[in-house]
Amino acid sequence: MSIIVQAGHETSKSKQVMEKLYERGLGRPADSYTHKMTPQQVSEILYKVLSQEHISLADEKIADNIMTDFLLANLDAENWGWETSKNLFSLDYWQQMDPSIGFIFVFDNPVHLLIALEDTLLTVDLVDNAMEEWIQYHQDMLYLIEKYEDNVILIEGAYAIGNISKLSEPVKRIASTLHL
């Protein structure tokens, strides 16, 4: 079984890349077994629990239960994955749960961040804050790439969408049973 956890900044082409992977054979995960949470809801709750500065034993148990419930629902799936920008914050925990999980990080030119702000009343503070958040997200991504280099691939979203067939080999490195 191969599990792909994909993360990309909310202004990246991460969602479109994941849709292309689904079209080519990656399975969509089922909602969690007991709580019927979507993968995005699972990631959102894990983000809320695991992004706290100090995680209590109760928080760890909550995270374990949510992950176990989600994995249980997808136990019979051969190759599956999901994406959300919130996945970045729980990757350490996923890696502890299952060291064979593969990660795909999607980055795009920061111009996409500015395009996302196009219909917003811009101020210097708004642009500064958005750029600082974008930079921090990508610094966190780089840290995790170095930490889990054997389980991570980094792709440029716009390029991957236009050249999805070239993604097959890099994905095979982190998900050996997945044939796109």
Side-chain angles (χ1 to χ4, degrees), residues 5 7-8 12 15 22 24 33 46-47 51 75 79 93 105 112 127 130 133 140 145-146 150 154 165:
V5 180
S12 74
K15 286 178 180 49
Y22 289 148
R24 283 161 178 75
Y33 188 74
L46 290 174
Y47 170 75
S51 66
L75 194 59
N79 297 296
Y93 216 78
F105 291 150
H112 296 288
V127 174
E133 187 273 331
D140 293 345
I145 289 169
E146 291 173 356
D150 293 337
L154 175 67
S165 62

Short mmCIF file of all heavy atoms in Angstrom, two decimals, residues 5 7-8 12 15 22 24 33 46-47 51 75 79 93 105 112 127 130 133 140 145-146 150 154 165:
data_model
loop_
_atom_site.label_atom_id
_atom_site.label_comp_id
_atom_site.label_asym_id
_atom_site.label_seq_id
_atom_site.Cartn_x
_atom_site.Cartn_y
_atom_site.Cartn_z
N VAL A 5 0.75 11.87 0.85
CA VAL A 5 0.25 13.05 1.53
C VAL A 5 0.84 14.24 0.78
O VAL A 5 2.05 14.39 0.71
CB VAL A 5 0.66 13.08 3.01
CG1 VAL A 5 0.13 14.33 3.68
CG2 VAL A 5 0.17 11.84 3.73
N ALA A 7 1.13 18.37 0.04
CA ALA A 7 0.97 19.70 0.63
C ALA A 7 1.53 20.73 -0.32
O ALA A 7 2.53 20.50 -0.99
CB ALA A 7 1.69 19.78 1.97
N GLY A 8 0.86 21.84 -0.38
CA GLY A 8 1.31 22.99 -1.15
C GLY A 8 0.60 24.20 -0.60
O GLY A 8 -0.52 24.10 -0.10
N SER A 12 -0.81 27.63 -4.44
CA SER A 12 -0.12 26.78 -5.40
C SER A 12 -1.14 26.02 -6.25
O SER A 12 -2.34 26.07 -6.00
CB SER A 12 0.80 25.78 -4.69
OG SER A 12 0.05 24.76 -4.08
N LYS A 15 -3.99 21.49 -5.71
CA LYS A 15 -5.28 20.81 -5.95
C LYS A 15 -5.36 20.26 -7.38
O LYS A 15 -5.80 19.14 -7.60
CB LYS A 15 -6.44 21.77 -5.70
CG LYS A 15 -6.70 22.06 -4.24
CD LYS A 15 -7.82 23.06 -4.07
CE LYS A 15 -8.14 23.40 -2.65
NZ LYS A 15 -7.07 23.75 -1.78
N TYR A 22 -5.23 11.71 -9.54
CA TYR A 22 -6.44 10.89 -9.44
C TYR A 22 -6.85 10.38 -10.82
O TYR A 22 -7.21 9.22 -10.98
CB TYR A 22 -7.60 11.68 -8.84
CG TYR A 22 -7.48 12.00 -7.37
CD1 TYR A 22 -8.03 13.16 -6.86
CD2 TYR A 22 -6.83 11.14 -6.48
CE1 TYR A 22 -7.96 13.47 -5.51
CE2 TYR A 22 -6.74 11.45 -5.13
CZ TYR A 22 -7.30 12.62 -4.65
OH TYR A 22 -7.23 12.91 -3.32
N ARG A 24 -5.01 9.61 -13.18
CA ARG A 24 -4.04 8.65 -13.67
C ARG A 24 -3.85 7.43 -12.77
O ARG A 24 -2.94 6.65 -12.98
CB ARG A 24 -2.71 9.35 -13.90
CG ARG A 24 -2.80 10.13 -15.20
CD ARG A 24 -1.78 11.20 -15.32
NE ARG A 24 -1.89 11.87 -16.59
CZ ARG A 24 -2.83 12.74 -16.92
NH1 ARG A 24 -3.79 13.03 -16.08
NH2 ARG A 24 -2.86 13.32 -18.11
N TYR A 33 -13.44 6.26 9.23
CA TYR A 33 -14.32 5.12 9.50
C TYR A 33 -15.45 5.44 10.47
O TYR A 33 -16.62 5.27 10.15
CB TYR A 33 -13.47 3.96 10.03
CG TYR A 33 -14.21 2.67 10.17
CD1 TYR A 33 -14.56 1.92 9.04
CD2 TYR A 33 -14.58 2.19 11.42
CE1 TYR A 33 -15.25 0.73 9.17
CE2 TYR A 33 -15.26 1.00 11.56
CZ TYR A 33 -15.60 0.28 10.43
OH TYR A 33 -16.28 -0.90 10.55
N LEU A 46 -6.18 17.82 12.64
CA LEU A 46 -4.79 17.54 13.00
C LEU A 46 -3.98 18.84 13.09
O LEU A 46 -3.14 19.00 13.98
CB LEU A 46 -4.16 16.57 12.02
CG LEU A 46 -4.67 15.14 12.09
CD1 LEU A 46 -4.08 14.31 10.96
CD2 LEU A 46 -4.39 14.51 13.44
N TYR A 47 -4.25 19.74 12.17
CA TYR A 47 -3.57 21.05 12.21
C TYR A 47 -3.87 21.77 13.52
O TYR A 47 -2.98 22.28 14.19
CB TYR A 47 -3.99 21.90 11.01
CG TYR A 47 -3.53 23.33 11.11
CD1 TYR A 47 -2.20 23.66 10.89
CD2 TYR A 47 -4.42 24.35 11.44
CE1 TYR A 47 -1.77 24.98 11.00
CE2 TYR A 47 -4.00 25.65 11.55
CZ TYR A 47 -2.69 25.96 11.33
OH TYR A 47 -2.25 27.26 11.44
N SER A 51 -0.55 21.93 15.80
CA SER A 51 0.16 23.20 15.61
C SER A 51 0.29 23.99 16.90
O SER A 51 0.89 25.07 16.90
CB SER A 51 -0.53 24.04 14.54
OG SER A 51 -1.82 24.44 14.97
N LEU A 75 -7.96 1.04 4.83
CA LEU A 75 -7.11 -0.13 5.03
C LEU A 75 -7.00 -1.01 3.78
O LEU A 75 -5.94 -1.54 3.47
CB LEU A 75 -7.63 -0.95 6.20
CG LEU A 75 -6.73 -2.02 6.77
CD1 LEU A 75 -5.42 -1.41 7.26
CD2 LEU A 75 -7.43 -2.73 7.93
N ASN A 79 -3.46 2.21 -3.26
CA ASN A 79 -2.69 3.44 -3.43
C ASN A 79 -3.65 4.62 -3.35
O ASN A 79 -4.56 4.73 -4.18
CB ASN A 79 -1.98 3.46 -4.78
CG ASN A 79 -0.97 2.36 -4.91
OD1 ASN A 79 0.01 2.32 -4.18
ND2 ASN A 79 -1.20 1.44 -5.82
N TYR A 93 4.06 13.93 12.23
CA TYR A 93 3.22 12.97 12.94
C TYR A 93 2.84 11.80 12.03
O TYR A 93 2.84 10.65 12.45
CB TYR A 93 1.97 13.68 13.47
CG TYR A 93 1.52 13.14 14.80
CD1 TYR A 93 2.17 13.51 15.97
CD2 TYR A 93 0.45 12.27 14.89
CE1 TYR A 93 1.77 13.02 17.20
CE2 TYR A 93 0.04 11.77 16.12
CZ TYR A 93 0.70 12.16 17.26
OH TYR A 93 0.30 11.65 18.47
N PHE A 105 5.43 17.68 -2.22
CA PHE A 105 5.33 19.10 -1.94
C PHE A 105 5.22 19.85 -3.26
O PHE A 105 6.01 19.60 -4.18
CB PHE A 105 6.54 19.61 -1.17
CG PHE A 105 6.62 19.09 0.24
CD1 PHE A 105 7.84 18.91 0.84
CD2 PHE A 105 5.48 18.80 0.98
CE1 PHE A 105 7.94 18.45 2.15
CE2 PHE A 105 5.56 18.34 2.28
CZ PHE A 105 6.80 18.17 2.86
N HIS A 112 1.69 33.86 -7.95
CA HIS A 112 0.35 33.33 -7.71
C HIS A 112 -0.24 33.90 -6.41
O HIS A 112 -1.45 34.08 -6.30
CB HIS A 112 0.36 31.81 -7.68
CG HIS A 112 0.74 31.19 -8.98
ND1 HIS A 112 -0.09 31.19 -10.08
CD2 HIS A 112 1.88 30.58 -9.37
CE1 HIS A 112 0.51 30.61 -11.09
NE2 HIS A 112 1.71 30.22 -10.69
N VAL A 127 0.30 42.99 2.05
CA VAL A 127 1.26 42.33 1.16
C VAL A 127 2.43 41.78 1.95
O VAL A 127 2.85 40.64 1.72
CB VAL A 127 1.73 43.29 0.04
CG1 VAL A 127 2.83 42.66 -0.80
CG2 VAL A 127 0.56 43.71 -0.84
N ALA A 130 1.25 38.64 3.82
CA ALA A 130 1.03 37.53 2.88
C ALA A 130 2.36 36.95 2.42
O ALA A 130 2.52 35.73 2.35
CB ALA A 130 0.20 38.01 1.69
N GLU A 133 4.06 35.00 5.29
CA GLU A 133 3.40 33.70 5.49
C GLU A 133 3.81 32.73 4.39
O GLU A 133 4.11 31.57 4.66
CB GLU A 133 1.87 33.90 5.54
CG GLU A 133 1.09 32.67 5.91
CD GLU A 133 0.75 31.79 4.72
OE1 GLU A 133 0.61 32.32 3.60
OE2 GLU A 133 0.62 30.58 4.91
N ASP A 140 9.29 25.99 5.95
CA ASP A 140 8.87 24.76 6.63
C ASP A 140 8.93 23.57 5.68
O ASP A 140 9.35 22.48 6.05
CB ASP A 140 7.46 24.90 7.20
CG ASP A 140 7.37 25.91 8.34
OD1 ASP A 140 8.41 26.31 8.89
OD2 ASP A 140 6.23 26.32 8.65
N ILE A 145 11.74 18.63 3.66
CA ILE A 145 12.40 17.96 2.54
C ILE A 145 13.76 17.43 3.01
O ILE A 145 14.13 16.29 2.71
CB ILE A 145 12.56 18.91 1.34
CG1 ILE A 145 11.20 19.18 0.70
CG2 ILE A 145 13.54 18.35 0.32
CD1 ILE A 145 11.23 20.31 -0.32
N GLU A 146 14.49 18.25 3.72
CA GLU A 146 15.80 17.80 4.22
C GLU A 146 15.65 16.70 5.26
O GLU A 146 16.44 15.76 5.30
CB GLU A 146 16.55 18.99 4.82
CG GLU A 146 16.99 19.99 3.76
CD GLU A 146 17.58 21.26 4.34
OE1 GLU A 146 17.60 21.43 5.58
OE2 GLU A 146 18.03 22.10 3.55
N ASP A 150 14.21 10.91 1.66
CA ASP A 150 13.92 9.67 0.96
C ASP A 150 12.43 9.47 0.69
O ASP A 150 12.04 8.63 -0.12
CB ASP A 150 14.44 8.46 1.74
CG ASP A 150 15.96 8.43 1.79
OD1 ASP A 150 16.60 9.05 0.89
OD2 ASP A 150 16.51 7.82 2.72
N LEU A 154 9.62 17.12 -4.51
CA LEU A 154 9.24 18.51 -4.65
C LEU A 154 8.96 18.76 -6.12
O LEU A 154 9.79 18.43 -6.98
CB LEU A 154 10.36 19.43 -4.16
CG LEU A 154 10.16 20.94 -4.34
CD1 LEU A 154 9.03 21.44 -3.45
CD2 LEU A 154 11.46 21.67 -4.01
N SER A 165 2.82 13.34 -17.30
CA SER A 165 3.41 12.03 -17.60
C SER A 165 4.84 11.92 -17.06
O SER A 165 5.31 10.84 -16.75
CB SER A 165 3.39 11.77 -19.10
OG SER A 165 4.17 12.74 -19.78
#
